[in-house]
Amino acid sequence: FSVLQLVEALGLSLTSSQPHTRARGVQLLSEVLQECYGNLTEREVEVLIAFYENRLKDHYVVTPPVLQGLKALTRCTALPTGSAVSMLRSLFQDVHVQVKLDIIRIQNYFNESTELKGLGADFVFGFVQSMDGERDPRNLLLAFQIAQNIINRGYDLGKFTEELFEVTSCYFPIDFTPPPNDPHGITKEQLIQALRAVLAGTPKFAEFLLPLLIEKLDSDVQSAKLDSLQTLCAFNVSVLILLFSVVIVSLQVFQTSSEKIESAGLAALTALTSCLSRSVLNSDSEDSLSTFLDVVLKDCKHHLCEPDLKLVWPSAKLLQAACSASNRASHIIAASAMPSLIEQYNTRTQRFELICVSVFHPSMLEESVFLAFRQSLCSMVFSALSETNSSLQITATSVLTSLAQQAGLLLDSDIELAVDHLTRLLLTEEDDRVRSASPLLSSTFFAYCSVYVFKIHPMEQGDNSSTASELHSRHAVRQQCLSALAAISIQPSVVQESTPVLLEVLSSAHTGNLVGFSVEEVVLACRSLQRIAEQVQDTEEAGRCFHDVIILRLLSLALQAGSSGRHSPLVEEVVLSAIVPVISTSCSRLQPMFAGQTLLKQGDSWTQSQMVCLLMGCVCSLPRSVEVPQIDQLLSQLEEMSCSCSHPLSYTSAAKCFAALVNKRSQGDSLDSFIQRTMKRVCSELDSPSSPVRVQAFTLMIWVAKALLLRYHPLSTALTDKLFSLLDDADLGPMAAEGFSLLMSDSVDVLNRACHADVRIMYRQRFFSENSAKLVQGFNAAPQEKKSNYLKALSNIVNKLPKQVQVTELPALLSLLLEALSCPDQGVQLSTLSCLEPVLIDPPPALIQQLEALVSRLLALVGSPAMNVRIASLRCIHALSRFPILPFRARVLRALAQPLDDKKRLVRREAVQARGEW
């Protein structure tokens, strides 16, 4: 059938004398049109539109299906010219009932049509009538969007401008809270933004909007004030209204105690200033920006000169807000405010901080805003640096940083004088705040200065006759200098100046030329080098400096110290441990193209063998793409050192290095055969109770197991199975239990992503799922004296799992966890409690069934000697208050009386919270 044949077939229904029968006929026709509107011809659409427009005059029960049909017809591609205007005229004229949803949606279909402009103000009037009194948020959101389109597309509002404003502004400010589980997903923020776009969309609304905003700004409701200021931010209005607006904004900033209102007021001022900054200047017109800023300055400047500081800070913030709008605004305000502010410093030195807060804003560091005041500013800053007032000195250092960021403000002589001042503050100032601020702020200063004079030198010493207090003071100054060198070393050019000083500290410490230098200061020099490696800009110049100078010098000094035959601070384990991260960070971040020297021939002294940690620092941090020369020989020597050396740092570093190289090596038969050969040797030593190197073999095994586990290598299972079997070993059992913590933890020096290791995602979850059953079986079969090893292993594994995995998997291990709470090892107790706490928030049924045992064990730990265990157990007891607690209530309250008197405040606090919930 054609659609017209359908209309003829429905004739009896459509012409029935019963309104409800007519409505059913129109309903059927409309539902058909919703399915087949795309196939209609222009002639069919024309006839149907005429039919539906006529039906709008029918009984009100027919109107809803008529609107459905019209809505379907608006989607037709063959819509005749003029039909949009025709349909909307009929809607506005003949529909009087509140069926707004479909009317507004039909309007929305047509609001892009150029035909509607021909309706002129009639369309606006019809829209206003349709929207009036609307309460449905779905309709409101659509209505606001239509109103915005009316404004943006230049419809003639005519005499209905105020009516359009009134019908939309009556909803301001939006007070809407979506109901729970709202299927429509309309938010308060959506409605606010849509309404704001309407109200601020045209200058024609200005005369109506400003009184509304003033009224809402006087409200005690904070959200109304906030919405009003944010609406003002979006408004593009005339100068006269802007001048009035600044008074409103200023009052809000001066009078409010709310940070949100203050921020919105300042943002409004910035928006208003920005709006005027973009206005076009004519030769015969007034400069509206200058006129506006005159009002701002008049409102603020006199506050800056008042003895009472109450209104100083709001005034300073208003000036900053206006300055941040544009460069031109910055120039106008600086030209007007700076002379009086500088005069303030000359008469009241304590106002220096005020001056800085008022004018030194990032927006003012453009186009030499302060160039005209260069000499006065420099004199003022250097004068403040010479004051004894710590606050003035700190502020002056900050200002110096700001001045250095603007080209042309500081001459070479100013820069040298600034460095002298900063160095003096760093070396002689007693106030820790000033000494701490100097290097941190001067790091930016040095980075921006084109001329740099390196003044800081930490090698001053004195003689051996110095008193203890003098030595302590000298140590403090040297440590401050070392930290300062690291703080300012960001630019590669500065790094080339600072790192030789730090390397000289290490060299002089090795040769004995540093009188009075402590090992702690040598370690600090290494940490300063590491900080530089972490923060320096990653350029070719910096990479060359680290590769050609720093790393090679460190390796050279350490090797000399290890083979010199005399005691040197550089062979101290704490110093070597500080050198390794410098090399590791440099090799991983700056990626020097070298593989490292073989430092592995074991000498007679531990001072030589421990140098292998340096190899770990450089070779193990290289990218996987770097080919290590003679790697088979290197691995063999590392294996030999791991299994035969008696010095802990030496054999541990060798094992780590071996594991890191194995982790990165390409998959294949060569790697597999090497691992199997190593496993055979390791297992041979481990299986011999009388072997003197069982600990060394175990250390190598656990690190190789970790290296293979991270990359999902098939041979990792054999090593982890061996680790499980060692839990029953009389000597190595506790060490094996701790080994699981190493397997599951992130390593800081090797086998991590920063060192380019092969680390697969979710390796912990995979290990747990493959081995949890083995752990339970081993625990059940183990003799009583060995069960604690299994509990410690379980605790170490579970504690490193992600929380969401713990919640899922712990019910299956609940019996073991309850046993772990009874384990005498405090580390096992603490890690088990930390596992249980998140599970107790949403407990599984299995846990509720074990409530008696859980409560008993937790209450026993409330009196633990370890404070952390007491706190963790109290938190778990607190979480248990969500359970069916009545049978345990009296017992728990009695037990909680003891921790209420605990000597530690943190324990007492947890006890109070837990007891309150129970």
Side-chain angles (χ1 to χ4, degrees), residues 585-696:
T585 302
S586 305
C587 291
S588 63
R589 184 169 181 266
L590 302 173
Q591 300 182 9
M593 297 305 295
F594 72 103
Q597 297 77 12
T598 302
L599 312 171
L600 304 171
K601 292 187 177 179
Q602 186 175 344
D604 298 329
S605 170
W606 61 267
T607 59
Q608 295 180 29
S609 64
Q610 70 175 359
M611 295 298 136
V612 70
C613 70
L614 301 176
L615 181 76
M616 179 185 72
C618 57
V619 174
C620 297
S621 299
L622 293 172
R624 278 178 266 172
S625 58
V626 174
E627 184 177 347
V628 179
Q630 303 177 358
I631 189 168
D632 288 339
Q633 180 185 354
L634 182 60
L635 287 169
S636 297
Q637 290 179 318
L638 286 167
E639 179 189 323
E640 180 62 30
M641 178 175 284
S642 300
C643 293
S644 59
C645 185
S646 59
H647 184 242
L649 178 61
S650 302
Y651 68 70
T652 302
S653 298
K656 289 181 178 182
C657 195
F658 183 93
L661 292 172
V662 165
N663 172 268
K664 294 182 185 180
R665 196 167 182 186
S666 301
Q667 191 89 344
D669 294 338
S670 174
L671 174 63
D672 292 350
S673 61
F674 205 99
I675 294 171
Q676 288 168 343
R677 186 169 69 249
T678 303
M679 287 169 55
K680 184 176 180 182
R681 178 176 183 178
V682 166
C683 291
S684 174
E685 301 290 354
L686 291 173
D687 292 340
S688 174
S690 60
S691 171
V693 292
R694 292 187 83 205
V695 173
Q696 289 91 321

Side-chain angles (χ1 to χ4, degrees), residues 22-40:
R22 297 198 299 276
R24 289 179 60 197
V26 175
Q27 179 74 35
L28 176 57
L29 178 60
S30 296
E31 289 176 357
V32 172
L33 292 179
Q34 287 175 336
E35 299 294 331
C36 67
Y37 60 85
N39 299 323
L40 300 179

Side-chain angles (χ1 to χ4, degrees), residues 504-540:
E504 184 62 28
V505 173
L506 300 179
S507 179
S508 299
H510 168 58
T511 59
N513 293 335
L514 278 182
V515 179
F517 256 73
S518 63
V519 171
E520 288 78 11
E521 289 171 305
V522 177
V523 170
L524 182 58
C526 296
R527 289 176 179 165
S528 297
L529 284 171
Q530 182 186 358
R531 180 178 174 184
I532 293 171
E534 292 171 344
Q535 72 187 16
V536 67
Q537 294 178 0
D538 197 357
T539 63
E540 184 180 350

Side-chain angles (χ1 to χ4, degrees), residues 448-520:
Y448 279 94
C449 287
S450 57
V451 179
Y452 173 71
V453 183
F454 204 90
K455 295 282 184 181
I456 301 174
H457 198 284
M459 306 297 288
E460 297 181 21
Q461 296 182 46
D463 52 47
N464 291 325
S465 62
S466 302
T467 65
S469 61
E470 289 173 341
L471 287 174
H472 176 76
S473 176
R474 195 170 295 123
H475 283 311
V477 169
R478 285 199 296 247
Q479 290 178 10
Q480 188 71 11
C481 289
L482 291 171
S483 299
L485 289 177
I488 66 177
S489 300
I490 299 174
Q491 299 280 351
S493 59
V494 180
V495 171
Q496 290 183 341
E497 298 280 352
S498 62
T499 50
V501 178
L502 296 169
L503 289 169
E504 184 62 28
V505 173
L506 300 179
S507 179
S508 299
H510 168 58
T511 59
N513 293 335
L514 278 182
V515 179
F517 256 73
S518 63
V519 171
E520 288 78 11

